[in-house]
Amino acid sequence: MAAVAAAVAGFQAEAKCPICLDYLRDPVTIECGHNFCRSCVQQSWADLQDSFPCPVCRYRCEEGHFRSNTQLGRMVEIARLLHSPRGNKKGQEETSLCDKHSQVLSAFCEEDLEMLCPLCTQAPEHHGHHVRPVEEAASHHRKRLRSYMEALKKRLADLQKLISIQRKKPLELREKVENQRQELSSEFEHLNQFLDREEHAMLSRLDEEEKDIEQKLSANITAFSNYLSTLKSQLSKVIELSGLSEVEMLSQIKVFYRSENEASPSIFSIHLRREACSFPPQYSALERIIRRFKVDVMLDPETAHPNLMVSEDKKCVRFTKRKQKVRALPRRFTGRPVVLGFPYFHSGRHFWEVEVGDKSEWAVGVCKDSLPTKARRPPSPWQGCWTVRLQDSGYDAPGAVPAPLLDVKDRVIGVFLDCELGEISFYDMAEKSRICTFSDTFSGPLRPYFRVGPDSKPLRVCTGADCE
């Protein structure tokens, strides 16, 4: 009888849907031979387009085809009848016997999760355990299984949605790559067109310069030829005068001396102009940084050292020998002639420009908002201050790579703060070139930093195109 019960249980298990774990409803069969409820497999394939994997064996079914299985449907109804409470109880009474005592298994131990007969419940190994009747235990665990079933169904549905979303990612990737490929192709096409125009213009200028130099060389050769004829004429005159008598020679010598002082033509030297190809700004990475990340920086008068005078528009600052009458504030710098700028930077990327002109001493960069205000020594990167500076007729940026190489006055310095990468880069705006870069880990708010040297020349924060 135990074998019959096992066969019945196996038959009932085969009649259940692998997705919802309940008896098959309107069963269908897919290409790999597995069976599902029609609604379950339709929901499983709802968001798929290219391939339709079997929820059990992952076999890829073409076009999501399946067919109704009416014979299996009738077998499921039989399985349902076998699972009815009356049939189930009768089968239990007839077949569920204890292997040790050959008595009906009528109880269930919750601690050991085992079915017991009346004699088993009295055994020492189950003493003090929570034992309940089979019907009560089955009802309790069936409820728990239903809760597991709902949770598993939800996880299964969520997973299938996630797979569906991930299957769409390659298409999204292809679209992004294609867009970027077209953008790069367009940029290189414009660059090639520009290079062709630049090459043609430079070669034309070189041809014109060649013709001009040839004309000047020809004129120079003609001048030397004329001078040669003059020298030959003078030589003949000397020979003629030397053969005259003393009186005749002396009477004509004055005219000869006046004519011999004609200067020789100067030698013409060839100097070609050095052509250089200047790329337009739109092909410069720096110009892209300026367009995307330019911010409007203003000076904060409440941080300015008493010897610094900030303009009304908060864009210009100069050093004055006489200290200003200002309020004593905790955030005001008193140790060095420093002023900070707005806004505060917590994240993101930001770019601004500072016109330092031909000042003999200055420092420009970024610092932590918590930078000490009374210190007299120049701050360093490990104190939270990253600057390029000019002092004692030399440029430096301690901790930056590479060491700054600047030698031109009347310049504008660009500052690019990249909080995401942890970098602060400085640019020579006249040359459109990078000066140096600091790499660090930033924490807390950051602010623009300006130190003004002890001369009357101003330091100015650029606005729009006023520094171009």
Side-chain angles (χ1 to χ4, degrees):
M1 297 303 291
V4 174
V8 171
F11 174 64
Q12 291 173 335
E14 290 297 326
K16 292 184 178 180
C17 173
I19 295 178
C20 68
L21 305 179
D22 203 352
Y23 284 108
L24 289 160
R25 297 183 300 276
D26 190 8
V28 296
T29 304
I30 64 175
E31 294 178 16
C32 61
H34 287 104
N35 306 300
F36 306 93
C37 300
R38 180 185 295 271
S39 60
C40 289
V41 73
Q42 286 178 338
Q43 183 179 359
S44 176
W45 290 349
D47 297 326
L48 305 182
Q49 296 179 354
D50 299 332
S51 63
F52 303 86
C54 171
V56 176
C57 67
R58 311 309 295 171
Y59 175 82
R60 295 185 179 277
C61 304
E62 298 294 332
E63 301 181 0
H65 286 162
F66 50 79
R67 64 181 184 275
S68 298
N69 194 330
T70 55
Q71 185 178 8
L72 179 58
R74 291 192 294 269
M75 296 174 66
V76 170
E77 291 303 321
I78 296 172
R80 286 178 183 273
L81 293 174
L82 292 173
H83 193 263
S84 63
R86 181 178 300 176
N88 191 32
K89 184 175 180 180
K90 184 177 180 181
Q92 286 182 349
E93 291 174 352
E94 293 178 352
T95 62
S96 300
L97 301 177
C98 176
D99 294 336
K100 291 183 179 180
H101 308 106
S102 298
Q103 293 191 16
V104 176
L105 298 172
S106 58
F108 185 78
C109 177
E110 293 292 348
E111 277 73 10
D112 296 330
L113 299 177
E114 294 179 356
M115 290 187 66
L116 307 176
C117 71
L119 294 178
C120 290
T121 59
Q122 301 173 9
E125 58 265 27
H126 295 291
H127 179 70
H129 288 185
H130 181 203
V131 177
R132 63 172 74 184
V134 168
E135 293 79 3
E136 181 183 338
S139 176
H140 169 73
H141 287 284
R142 188 170 283 111
K143 290 179 181 179
R144 292 188 62 184
L145 288 175
R146 286 197 191 98
S147 65
Y148 288 138
M149 186 185 305
E150 294 303 320
L152 288 172
K153 285 182 180 179
K154 185 179 183 304
R155 290 176 60 186
L156 181 61
D158 292 343
L159 182 59
Q160 288 174 341
K161 288 182 181 179
L162 179 61
I163 292 174
S164 176
I165 293 172
Q166 292 299 102
R167 289 185 184 280
K168 295 177 182 178
K169 291 295 183 182
L171 178 61
E172 180 182 347
L173 173 64
R174 287 195 294 270
E175 290 177 353
K176 289 185 177 180
V177 170
E178 182 60 28
N179 290 337
Q180 189 166 350
R181 183 180 288 112
Q182 291 178 1
E183 182 180 346
L184 289 173
S185 298
S186 176
E187 289 190 10
F188 275 103
E189 181 179 355
H190 286 92
L191 180 58
N192 288 330
Q193 292 175 357
F194 165 77
L195 290 175
D196 290 340
R197 292 194 301 270
E198 190 76 6
E199 180 185 14
H200 179 74
M202 285 194 295
L203 292 177
S204 297
R205 289 195 296 269
L206 187 60
D207 290 340
E208 292 175 359
E209 188 176 9
E210 181 185 15
K211 293 178 182 178
D212 181 63
I213 292 176
E214 285 180 347
Q215 292 176 356
K216 291 179 180 179
L217 278 174
S218 178
N220 191 247
I221 292 173
T222 300
F224 272 103
S225 298
N226 294 337
Y227 186 63
L228 179 64
S229 299
T230 300
L231 291 180
K232 287 181 179 180
S233 176
Q234 287 181 350
L235 178 60
S236 299
K237 188 67 174 176
V238 169
I239 294 174
E240 180 182 350
L241 287 175
S242 299
L244 296 178
S245 65
E246 294 177 351
V247 175
E248 290 178 330
M249 179 187 69
L250 293 176
S251 63
Q252 298 181 27
I253 196 69
K254 183 177 181 179
V255 176
F256 171 77
Y257 284 152
R258 286 179 178 176
S259 62
E260 74 165 345
N261 293 327
E262 184 174 349
S264 172
S266 59
I267 298 176
F268 179 74
S269 300
I270 298 175
H271 295 288
L272 288 174
R273 290 194 305 269
R274 185 176 181 84
E275 290 283 357
C277 180
S278 300
F279 286 96
Q282 59 265 31
Y283 297 115
S284 170
L286 178 59
E287 291 299 326
R288 292 188 178 185
I289 291 175
I290 296 173
R291 286 199 307 270
R292 292 188 60 183
F293 307 115
K294 186 71 174 286
V295 293
D296 185 18
V297 169
M298 295 192 303
L299 302 172
D300 181 4
E302 294 187 350
T303 65
H305 186 277
N307 285 104
L308 299 184
M309 180 180 294
V310 177
S311 62
E312 291 186 4
D313 63 358
K314 301 178 182 178
K315 291 290 184 179
C316 187
V317 58
R318 69 176 68 245
F319 186 92
T320 60
K321 293 183 179 179
R322 178 178 297 178
K323 289 188 176 182
Q324 309 296 307
K325 293 182 179 179
V326 293
R327 289 185 298 164
L329 300 172
R331 56 181 176 274
R332 187 181 301 282
F333 282 81
T334 57
R336 295 178 64 80
V338 169
V339 59
L340 302 185
F342 286 125
Y344 292 83
F345 301 122
H346 299 270
S347 61
R349 297 177 173 90
H350 315 277
F351 179 86
W352 64 96
E353 299 174 43
V354 185
E355 182 182 2
V356 297
D358 59 352
K359 290 181 66 60
S360 59
E361 184 176 334
W362 51 263
V364 172
V366 179
C367 74
K368 290 184 178 180
D369 183 48
S370 58
L371 190 70
T373 58
K374 297 180 180 180
R376 295 185 176 276
R377 296 175 60 85
S380 58
W382 51 89
Q383 294 173 315
C385 189
W386 305 268
T387 63
V388 168
R389 61 195 184 191
L390 169 63
Q391 57 185 12
D392 301 327
S393 300
Y395 297 91
D396 70 342
V401 177
L405 298 174
L406 298 173
D407 56 3
V408 181
K409 294 183 179 181
D410 299 322
R411 65 175 60 257
V412 176
I413 303 297
V415 185
F416 181 44
L417 168 62
D418 190 334
C419 297
E420 314 307 324
L421 290 180
E423 291 184 349
I424 301 173
S425 297
F426 295 87
Y427 291 87
D428 180 353
M429 301 308 295
E431 299 294 331
K432 302 292 184 183
S433 61
R434 185 173 67 93
I435 300 171
C436 62
T437 296
F438 290 92
S439 296
D440 212 327
T441 301
F442 306 135
S443 62
L446 303 177
R447 302 185 68 177
Y449 174 95
F450 310 89
R451 179 170 61 80
V452 185
D455 57 55
S456 60
K457 296 175 182 177
L459 183 146
R460 184 162 62 99
V461 181
C462 298
T463 303
D466 59 359
C467 282
E468 294 180 1

